[in-house]
Amino acid sequence: MTAIVDYDTGNLRSVADAMRRIGAEFTITAYPALLRGADRVLLPGVGEASSAMAKLRERGLDLVIPTLTQPVLGICIGMQLLCLDSEEGDARCLGIFPAHVRRLKPAENGLKIPHVGWNTVGGLRGTLLEGIDEETYVYYVHSYAAEVCEATIARTDYGGEFSAALGRGNFFGTQFHPEKSGSAGERILRNFLKP
């Protein structure tokens, strides 16, 4: 059973719909015991980093998530919360990935913020991205992104390179939304759910 972390941020419904489409069993919960007992944990999120961290702290999940030993996948804000910190709201995050989250700076290049829509991923490595081709398109909605670091397993360029995906030990993250990224996103979710 996969647990989807419920901490009152954004895209729970779209992640649940994607899990249903691929026939995965899941529960939506904020209970630490259920998170610890799950086979896998999804940390979704849409919103603002400091508010999202406050929600995790209110539920004591900031202490639970870093101790999980099963595979954990953060999506969008969920991935950012697994980083060291975020410029968005000057948030101290969970510190699992050795990356700082910075505001995108594409305005200098005539690009719009937020970065909304399809873009390509490259520099792919690791089991989460098996079967995904270089320069595959995935779907983004964000204004902040994790810097490239040793945990980067995919990159995207939007006025400068950022981490499209991160991986370290049993923790993974995607800045893009696999639940909205068509067949590539479905493949990534299936890779994550593999025993």
Side-chain angles (χ1 to χ4, degrees):
M1 175 75 71
T2 298
I4 301 174
V5 182
D6 182 1
Y7 62 113
D8 290 338
T9 65
N11 62 337
L12 279 178
R13 188 167 143 193
S14 61
V15 170
D17 288 346
M19 295 290 280
R20 282 188 199 95
R21 280 195 304 274
I22 63 175
E25 290 185 22
F26 66 92
T27 187
I28 298 172
T29 185
Y31 290 107
L34 289 177
L35 294 175
R36 286 191 183 99
D39 297 320
R40 290 182 171 32
V41 174
L42 278 169
L43 179 64
V46 170
E48 190 270 336
S50 63
S51 300
M53 277 305 303
K55 297 282 188 185
L56 288 180
R57 286 188 192 99
E58 282 173 16
R59 292 164 172 76
L61 298 176
D62 61 317
L63 302 175
V64 174
I65 292 168
T67 68
L68 297 176
T69 57
Q70 69 272 62
V72 176
L73 175 61
I75 297 172
C76 195
I77 285 283
M79 180 180 100
Q80 293 177 16
L81 298 181
L82 297 174
C83 293
L84 296 168
D85 52 39
S86 174
E87 288 183 345
E88 187 176 29
D90 195 26
R92 184 178 50 84
C93 299
L94 298 174
I96 292 160
F97 297 128
H100 302 282
V101 176
R102 309 275 188 224
R103 182 165 172 77
L104 296 174
K105 301 192 186 311
E108 299 157 8
N109 302 310
L111 301 172
K112 293 182 180 178
I113 296 175
H115 174 206
V116 177
W118 296 89
N119 204 337
T120 57
V121 289
L124 310 177
R125 59 187 180 92
T127 58
L128 183 68
L129 302 167
E130 279 180 3
I132 305 298
D133 294 330
E134 290 284 328
E135 302 306 305
T136 291
Y137 280 86
V138 293
Y139 191 79
Y140 285 99
V141 181
H142 67 123
S143 299
Y144 292 79
E147 63 193 0
V148 173
C149 66
E150 64 264 27
T152 300
I153 58 174
R155 301 167 187 235
T156 291
D157 191 306
Y158 189 72
E161 273 197 332
F162 61 85
S163 291
L166 293 166
R168 186 179 198 191
N170 59 305
F171 287 89
F172 303 91
T174 61
Q175 180 58 61
F176 57 87
H177 289 270
E179 76 279 12
K180 296 181 182 207
S181 294
S183 60
E186 183 176 301
R187 176 61 185 262
I188 289 165
L189 290 173
R190 289 185 186 280
N191 287 346
F192 176 68
L193 296 172
K194 274 184 193 170

